[in-house]
Amino acid sequence: MSTSDQDQSVDTPIPAPDAGAAAETEAEVEAEAEVEAEAEVEVETETETEVEDRRLTPRQARRLRIALSSVGMVAMAVVLGLRIASRSSVLVVGVYGLALILCGIVIELSRNGRTRLGSWLLAVGLVAAIGSDWLLIP
């Protein structure tokens, strides 16, 4: 620090580089800074609570998987009925029967708290059932 810097008071505002522009007072600058800081804190807090609100509780996740499995089971039963009506085949009954059993297994897994495993099983099983219907059944 030079001697000229030491002579100035700590509370003295630094003049704006443009002499023609109106200089804001130190109180106004501090007030604006406080308002901006509070707004940032509120945005961060809202974002964190929104993220926490979006996450499902374990109970909600289990109920969601059970509902999805039930919907899949009903859909497979309807498709099985339609396929048997159009083409009576043991292969049709086997594919869609296994898909129905898989949906039941996923419901039981979800009840026992194995929702991730149930989700993967449901997704892979239903894709396999639809794929085998498309590939195997004429």
Side-chain angles (χ1 to χ4, degrees):
M1 286 177 86
S2 66
T3 2
S4 62
D5 291 337
Q6 292 175 356
D7 292 340
Q8 291 181 350
S9 172
V10 176
D11 294 352
T12 306
I14 300 172
D18 187 14
E24 295 180 346
T25 63
E26 185 176 338
E28 289 176 354
V29 172
E30 287 178 7
E32 287 178 11
E34 288 177 12
V35 169
E36 289 176 6
E38 288 176 5
E40 289 176 8
V41 169
E42 287 177 6
V43 168
E44 289 175 6
T45 306
E46 288 175 4
T47 307
E48 290 172 4
T49 55
E50 287 176 3
V51 169
E52 290 175 3
D53 291 341
R54 288 184 198 157
R55 291 185 180 172
L56 295 175
T57 64
R59 174 177 257 163
Q60 289 173 334
R62 283 192 299 270
R63 288 183 179 175
L64 178 65
R65 296 323 187 278
I66 290 170
L68 289 175
S69 297
S70 300
V71 167
M73 188 177 268
V74 169
M76 288 298 139
V78 168
V79 172
L80 175 62
L82 293 173
R83 293 290 283 172
I84 287 177
S86 69
R87 173 177 223 112
S88 182
S89 169
V90 175
L91 194 56
V92 171
V93 174
V95 168
Y96 288 104
L98 288 175
L100 286 169
I101 291 170
L102 178 72
C103 289
I105 290 171
V106 171
I107 289 172
E108 283 302 313
L109 285 172
S110 295
R111 284 184 185 167
N112 293 325
R114 301 309 229 158
T115 54
R116 289 184 193 151
L117 176 63
S119 297
W120 281 104
L121 254 164
L122 183 65
V124 170
L126 292 181
V127 167
I130 293 169
S132 62
D133 179 28
W134 182 63
L135 290 173
L136 299 176
I137 303 170

